[in-house]
Amino acid sequence: MKFCLTLAAVALLGAVTLEAHAQQPWLADRRYGEGIGVRVGNLELHPGISAELGYDSNYFLRAPSEDPLSAFRIRVTPAISLSTLGPQRRENGAPAPPSDVAFRAGAYVSYNELIATDSKHQSEMADQRHVDMGGDLMLTMFNTGRAGVDVYGNGVRTVQPSNDTNTEQAFNRDTVRGGGGITWRPGGGLFDWRLGGEVTYNYFEKSNFKFLNNYQPSANMRGRWRFLPRTAVLYDGTYTWIRYSNPSTQVDGSILTSRIGLNGLITSRLSALALVGWAGTFYDTPTTGQKPQQFDSLTAQAELKYFLGGEGTGAFNPGSVPVGLSYVAAGFTRDVQNSYLGSFYERDRGYLGVSYFLGGVYVITLTGGVANLRFPSYTVPSSTPGATGAAATNQDPFSEQRVDATLFTEYRLSNTFGVNGTVGYEQNITDVTIANDALKYSRWQVFLGARYFL
């Protein structure tokens, strides 16, 4: 595959971040994923395993003109977590863990087998069998004192094919992140301020994409002032450095973001989050000599959430309103992210969500959104990665419009066993073509499964 074609395919990575990697809802939200667990000293262990059978209508994310291939999928996912004692065990009379220390760690491995719906493509689809995996840990100390410390780390291996069935053209990558911070809490905790830092490393497994390997150190700070029991003023700011292993192809740079706003309950059932700020990018001039465009504009996040069952509960975090088990939410986000096609992209996304959790037995979540991703002009080398200059061409700015929706439902037949279903849809409705590669695609994914959990 020529370099210009690989760049067009890498555009599919534009909206992917570490937190957004696809995983089962019970892995993403421990309220749905865990049972009472097994006590191990002053810790509790939560093992589990799931098996799913599904259908994927467009595994390679191809445009209608590029012969989309569909497949049946079998997915088996064992998972485990370990943490300080949770509320269920404390309610049963167990002593509470030391309030100044909280720990949580988890890991999962997901085996994926693919079977082509058309037998003539079975060998190509069988080559796509793969294993995804991930893990995370979080430790907080001195949670009730004037100064607290937190340390965290996580990692994800993601297998993502390009529109080429050759596995050597896949965007398989490993992302590792680690960081920590110090929080200052004078005056009984109504005010707190956190200073922290982290490093993220993105490693592409296939040789054709080694030039995209990069690390991103960042410094961040976050503040909160609770001027009412359930309402707070928030601030967060981050400065991220982006450094590539081959900056002659992808240019180094940095991104500065700063936001301030409010988060809290308006009534006992209605909460609101409103953040507004500014972001700027500072990318180097590429070897082609073309002056790079930069982002220098407003950023924002807003969300209204109505709780269907009682008052909202949970911590006030800069990125979300208080968490309840059943709610309806609507929101909007405008931000800027580093991109593997050009230097950056700006995103405007609106979304709706419904979550309903009945008696610890039945859960249903429905989320959907519409996003506009805008890529600035950039230089496309038409030769191999690392080559410069003469054969380079300029790509005009373009936008992509994306639609996504996911429905998940589960019924728990007992305290340790549940059956579930997942339906997902995504579509890129842009008419943009780069290097004869159409970026438009649509995809359905449907899974039926069962899982055992403690």
Side-chain angles (χ1 to χ4, degrees):
M1 184 183 289
K2 294 182 179 179
F3 180 52
C4 56
L5 294 180
T6 64
L7 267 182
V10 172
L12 299 175
L13 294 173
V16 177
T17 64
L18 184 63
E19 292 76 12
H21 288 307
Q23 33 175 281
Q24 292 81 356
W26 57 84
L27 295 178
D29 193 330
R30 65 177 181 269
R31 294 173 303 161
Y32 305 148
E34 295 180 347
I36 193 171
V38 178
R39 182 169 180 175
V40 183
N42 283 327
L43 300 174
E44 61 180 69
L45 186 68
H46 293 273
I49 186 170
S50 70
E52 299 165 282
L53 175 65
Y55 169 77
D56 192 319
S57 70
N58 188 2
Y59 182 72
F60 297 101
L61 301 184
R62 291 177 173 178
S65 60
E66 296 175 333
D67 188 23
L69 299 182
S70 58
F72 298 111
R73 298 182 62 175
I74 299 172
R75 187 163 62 188
V76 180
T77 307
I80 192 168
S81 67
L82 180 68
S83 67
T84 46
L85 295 180
Q88 286 176 301
R89 289 195 174 276
R90 293 201 298 271
E91 288 172 1
N92 290 336
S99 59
D100 272 357
V101 178
F103 170 80
R104 182 173 184 83
Y108 72 92
V109 176
S110 186
Y111 173 78
N112 291 257
E113 180 69 35
L114 290 96
I115 304 169
T117 56
D118 188 335
S119 59
K120 70 180 181 181
H121 296 296
Q122 178 51 34
S123 62
E124 302 164 275
M125 201 61 72
D127 290 341
Q128 305 299 320
R129 65 171 60 94
H130 63 273
V131 174
D132 297 319
M133 63 182 67
D136 63 87
L137 62 88
M138 179 74 182
L139 173 66
T140 61
M141 297 177 290
F142 314 115
N143 296 322
T144 59
R146 284 182 172 269
V149 177
D150 63 85
V151 180
Y152 61 89
N154 49 39
V156 175
R157 180 185 189 248
T158 302
V159 173
Q160 180 177 351
S162 68
N163 57 7
D164 191 332
T165 58
N166 183 355
T167 56
E168 291 303 309
Q169 304 297 341
F171 305 124
N172 301 350
R173 60 199 183 276
D174 305 284
T175 301
V176 180
R177 180 175 64 177
I182 298 175
T183 301
W184 179 50
R185 294 183 290 262
L190 295 180
F191 174 83
D192 60 68
W193 193 267
R194 180 185 181 276
L195 297 177
E198 68 175 44
V199 177
T200 301
Y201 182 68
N202 297 291
Y203 173 79
F204 285 76
E205 298 178 359
K206 303 301 181 179
S207 59
N208 287 340
F209 299 102
K210 294 293 187 184
F211 68 96
L212 293 175
N213 292 346
N214 66 89
Y215 67 94
Q216 300 182 18
S218 67
N220 53 73
M221 58 181 174
R222 183 175 70 234
R224 177 185 60 174
W225 173 46
R226 293 186 185 179
F227 63 93
L228 292 174
R230 294 295 184 90
T231 305
V233 176
L234 304 175
Y235 172 81
D236 66 66
T238 304
Y239 193 92
T240 303
W241 296 264
I242 299 141
R243 297 294 180 264
Y244 288 94
S245 60
N246 188 347
S248 63
T249 300
Q250 291 293 118
V251 296
D252 295 341
S254 56
I255 300 177
L256 172 65
T257 64
S258 182
R259 304 183 305 173
I260 192 170
L262 289 172
N263 185 19
L265 291 172
I266 299 174
T267 70
S268 63
R269 289 178 178 262
L270 182 65
S271 66
L273 167 72
L275 291 169
V276 64
W278 205 266
T281 63
F282 308 90
Y283 284 94
D284 298 342
T285 300
T287 55
T288 57
Q290 180 189 24
K291 185 177 181 180
Q293 290 189 354
Q294 307 286 0
F295 181 89
D296 183 19
S297 185
L298 183 76
T299 63
Q301 181 180 358
E303 182 179 88
L304 284 175
K305 182 176 287 187
Y306 181 78
F307 297 95
L308 301 176
E311 185 174 305
T313 61
F316 291 98
N317 298 315
S320 65
V321 295
V323 175
L325 294 179
S326 300
Y327 61 84
V328 178
F332 172 81
T333 301
R334 173 178 169 80
D335 60 12
V336 59
Q337 299 287 341
N338 185 62
S339 173
Y340 294 120
L341 185 61
S343 53
F344 70 90
Y345 69 93
E346 57 183 88
R347 179 184 64 164
D348 296 278
R349 182 177 186 267
Y351 61 89
L352 295 171
V354 178
S355 176
Y356 189 71
F357 198 22
L358 178 61
V361 174
Y362 178 74
V363 60
I364 181 171
T365 62
L366 175 62
T367 59
V370 178
N372 181 74
L373 278 62
R374 182 183 180 277
F375 294 82
S377 61
Y378 59 92
T379 300
V380 183
S382 58
S383 53
T384 58
T388 60
T393 59
N394 292 332
Q395 170 66 42
D396 292 333
F398 71 93
S399 295
E400 296 180 8
Q401 293 75 47
R402 301 193 182 193
V403 177
D404 65 90
T406 301
L407 171 66
F408 172 77
T409 183
E410 181 175 73
Y411 180 73
R412 296 182 175 179
L413 300 174
S414 71
N415 290 334
T416 59
F417 185 78
V419 293
N420 54 71
T422 305
V423 179
Y425 178 75
E426 55 184 302
Q427 182 178 16
N428 187 333
I429 57 179
T430 183
D431 291 324
V432 172
T433 297
I434 300 177
N436 298 319
D437 186 11
L439 301 184
K440 176 187 293 186
Y441 72 89
S442 63
R443 181 190 198 186
W444 284 95
Q445 295 186 85
V446 180
F447 287 94
L448 294 176
R451 68 187 182 98
Y452 174 81
F453 57 93
L454 285 177

